[in-house]
Amino acid sequence: MFGYRVPAPDEAMLISGGRRGLGGAPFRVVTGHGKFVLPVFRKVRFLTLSMCESEVVETCVTRQGIALHVRAVIAFKVGNDTESIINAGQRFLSDQDQMSVLTGRIFAGHLRAIIGSMTVEEIVTERQKLAAEVLDTSKTEMAKIGLIVDLLQIQSIDDGDTGYIDAMSAPHKAAIRRQAQIAQAQANQAAAQAEQEAARKQAEYARQTAVVKAEYSAEVDRAQAQAAQAGPLAQAHARQEVLDAQTELAQRQARLRQQELVAEIVKPAEAEAERVRVLAAAEAQRMKVQAEAAASYDRVALDRMLIDQLPLIVKEAAGGLSGANVNVLNGADGLGEIAAGLVAQGLTILDSVRQNLNGHGDRNSGGARPEEGDGRLALRGPSAPRPDTGETEPREGRADGERPDPRTR
């Protein structure tokens, strides 16, 4: 449309004529949108808002009196606010290239002032601090002319032929060279160790290879030797097995012959000996039984003989009392006591005779028994006549040991 103007994104449109701008400025500022401008009555000019660059090359003297050649680059632009655009438009609208020249001169002056208050060591080691101080001191002046600084970069610092910076850096260079030498020595040592380790590993590998080869060769030799000896060893083993079989067969035949001899000679002899022993034992047992039977017969015969003689013994004893002068007290009781005493004496005599006969029989060899009726026993009764006078000697047969009373004669 005729008369409608639009500024670029990095430009500010300044419209002069007509109403005044903000703060009594001779123009109005339009950014970011278009504006209808009456031709002939209004005049439009454009101020760049893009980044500008200024280079500063200045010789500065430090606090130590050492001259330094400093090279710096400044990046700046017109501020985006209306006030900054107005200040910059009033100063640089007709010749906008002067912004770089003026900015360089401003920063050169501040750079000389700041470097004059610092030492070479501070300047070299603290470049960022130098740049920050220059920016801080120039901010007010730059704001007055509508400019803002985005970046100040110290590119180089050189003392020319003085050699102060080189002398200052000599210890560091020496330390760096020393560190480099140490690092190089360590690297060389590590390389030597690596080479030695590699050589050792190669030697170890060669040794292991040689050992393996020797073991393989020895194993091959053993296999060949075993293969060469396999035939003779097999024959020897076969002969040994034949000998072992023959030996075992001979041993079996010997054991069989031994068993045959035992069955043919030893067993019959043992059986015959056992038969003889059994017969002898049976004969001895038979003789023992016969002897015991004979002895038992002798005792039975003797007892029968004595029993047969017992009435005769009692009779003889009673006959001895027939002519005796005996006074009997207590009547029938006294006669019973006398008879009982006679029988008791007879039994005692019978026991004595039996014991004597048994004693004689034990002393006789072969246990010979006496013939029946060989010996008549002369037994003395309870009241036998004395051999010298022929009188009868009475025996006491009273009970309780009573003596005869003379008044009963």
Side-chain angles (χ1 to χ4, degrees):
M1 182 182 290
F2 180 75
Y4 190 80
R5 308 293 297 273
V6 178
D10 59 345
E11 289 181 341
M13 186 172 61
L14 306 180
I15 303 173
S16 61
R19 293 184 306 171
R20 288 183 172 269
L22 182 63
F27 48 83
R28 289 179 294 170
V29 177
V30 178
T31 57
H33 59 87
K35 191 73 175 178
F36 184 78
V37 180
L38 291 175
V40 180
F41 296 100
R42 304 286 188 270
K43 189 175 181 179
V44 177
R45 300 287 300 272
F46 294 94
L47 179 65
T48 180
L49 300 179
S50 62
M51 181 67 65
C52 299
E53 179 182 342
S54 176
E55 183 177 1
V56 177
V57 178
E58 191 70 21
T59 300
C60 306
V61 180
T62 65
R63 188 176 62 185
Q64 300 162 321
I66 299 173
L68 298 177
H69 301 284
V70 181
R71 181 182 180 87
V73 177
I74 303 135
F76 66 95
K77 66 182 290 296
V78 178
N80 293 327
D81 59 294
T82 305
E83 184 178 359
S84 297
I85 294 173
I86 293 172
N87 291 335
Q90 289 178 346
R91 290 173 177 79
F92 305 109
L93 186 59
S94 59
D95 189 3
Q96 298 184 18
D97 294 336
Q98 289 296 320
M99 289 189 294
S100 298
V101 176
L102 182 58
T103 300
R105 291 175 180 175
I106 293 172
F107 272 89
H110 288 288
L111 191 61
R112 286 195 299 270
I114 299 300
I115 289 176
S117 63
M118 298 176 65
T119 63
V120 178
E121 290 80 3
E122 293 176 348
I123 294 170
V124 173
T125 59
E126 299 179 1
R127 292 188 180 186
Q128 191 65 30
K129 179 181 178 180
L130 173 62
E133 289 184 1
V134 172
L135 286 175
D136 289 339
T137 55
S138 63
K139 186 180 296 183
T140 303
E141 295 179 358
M142 295 295 287
K144 289 181 181 179
I145 59 177
L147 301 178
I148 56 175
V149 179
D150 291 337
L151 176 65
L152 172 61
Q153 181 68 40
I154 305 297
Q155 291 184 338
S156 64
I157 299 173
D158 185 15
D159 60 351
D161 298 334
T162 306
Y164 186 88
I165 296 177
D166 292 338
M168 183 179 65
S169 62
H172 300 287
K173 291 180 179 179
I176 292 173
R177 283 195 298 269
R178 184 172 61 253
Q179 292 177 358
Q181 292 175 356
I182 293 173
Q184 185 64 35
Q186 292 177 351
N188 295 335
Q189 183 179 1
Q193 291 178 354
E195 291 178 357
Q196 293 176 359
E197 183 68 19
R200 187 185 65 81
K201 288 183 178 180
Q202 290 178 358
E204 181 68 20
Y205 179 76
R207 186 185 67 81
Q208 293 178 356
T209 303
V211 170
V212 171
K213 288 182 178 179
E215 291 178 352
Y216 178 75
S217 178
E219 186 176 357
V220 171
D221 293 340
R222 285 195 300 270
Q224 292 177 355
Q226 291 176 359
Q229 295 175 358
L233 287 175
Q235 294 178 0
H237 289 162
R239 287 195 297 271
Q240 184 65 35
E241 290 177 357
V242 170
L243 293 176
D244 292 341
Q246 292 176 354
T247 303
E248 185 177 0
L249 179 59
Q251 292 176 354
R252 289 181 180 179
Q253 291 177 353
R255 288 195 296 268
L256 181 60
R257 182 56 183 165
Q258 182 179 4
Q259 293 175 359
E260 291 177 353
L261 292 175
V262 169
E264 294 175 357
I265 299 175
V266 177
K267 292 297 182 181
E270 291 179 353
E272 182 64 23
E274 182 67 19
R275 186 182 66 81
V276 172
R277 186 184 63 78
V278 171
L279 292 175
E283 182 65 21
Q285 185 68 21
R286 185 182 65 80
M287 294 176 66
K288 181 179 179 182
V289 171
Q290 289 178 355
E292 291 178 354
S296 177
Y297 177 77
D298 292 340
R299 287 193 297 270
V300 172
L302 179 61
D303 291 341
R304 290 184 61 184
M305 181 184 69
L306 292 177
I307 292 170
D308 292 339
Q309 294 294 328
L310 181 59
L312 181 59
I313 294 170
V314 176
K315 181 178 178 181
E316 292 292 333
L321 292 175
S322 63
N325 186 12
V326 179
N327 293 325
V328 180
L329 300 178
N330 298 330
D333 293 334
L335 290 174
E337 291 177 358
I338 292 172
L342 292 174
V343 174
Q345 290 182 3
L347 293 175
T348 302
I349 293 170
L350 180 62
D351 290 336
S352 299
V353 172
R354 183 185 293 113
Q355 291 179 0
N356 291 329
L357 292 177
N358 288 335
H360 289 294
D362 293 338
R363 288 191 294 269
N364 293 331
S365 61
R369 59 185 180 86
E371 295 293 336
E372 295 182 2
D374 286 343
R376 296 282 185 170
L377 296 178
L379 299 178
R380 187 176 182 182
S383 57
R386 293 181 179 179
D388 53 354
T389 61
E391 296 180 357
T392 302
E393 183 179 2
R395 296 182 180 273
E396 295 180 358
R398 298 180 180 273
D400 298 330
E402 295 181 357
R403 297 179 64 88
D405 193 352
R407 291 176 294 177
T408 61
R409 290 178 180 265

